[in-house]
């Protein structure tokens, strides 16, 4: 497993909120899916409200 850093922003109550998180994943696509799932669950967001800007290893 590799570590990926995912950055982006999501729709918050006060406008756009930026985030940067590091996850362990098999590849870049799995890292994207994990972050979308986790942010959606934690903040009650739909995938269309989350914008991923960059995924780096």
């Amino acid at each position: 497993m590799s570590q990926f850093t995912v950055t982006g922003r999501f729709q918050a109550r006060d406008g756009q909120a930026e985030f940067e998180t590091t996850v362990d994943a098999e590849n870049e696509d799995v890292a994207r899916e994990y972050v979308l799932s986790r942010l959606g669950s934690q903040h009650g967001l739909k995938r269309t409200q989350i914008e991923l800007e960059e995924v780096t290893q």
Side-chain angles (χ1 to χ4, degrees):
M1 291 258 220
S2 300
Q3 282 195 334
F4 292 90
T5 301
V6 182
T7 59
R9 65 180 79 146
F10 61 89
Q11 185 67 37
R13 291 185 178 143
D14 300 337
Q16 295 285 326
E18 294 186 2
F19 69 89
E20 179 175 319
T21 185
T22 303
V23 296
D24 289 325
E26 295 176 10
N27 57 45
E28 193 172 304
D29 292 333
V30 174
R32 287 177 189 271
E33 289 296 318
Y34 180 75
V35 170
L36 287 172
S37 174
R38 192 168 72 179
L39 282 175
S41 176
Q42 288 177 347
H43 297 281
L45 301 169
K46 296 181 181 179
R47 290 173 180 250
T48 57
Q49 295 173 302
I50 304 168
E51 180 182 333
L52 300 180
E53 295 176 353
E54 185 178 25
V55 180
T56 57
Q57 189 170 6

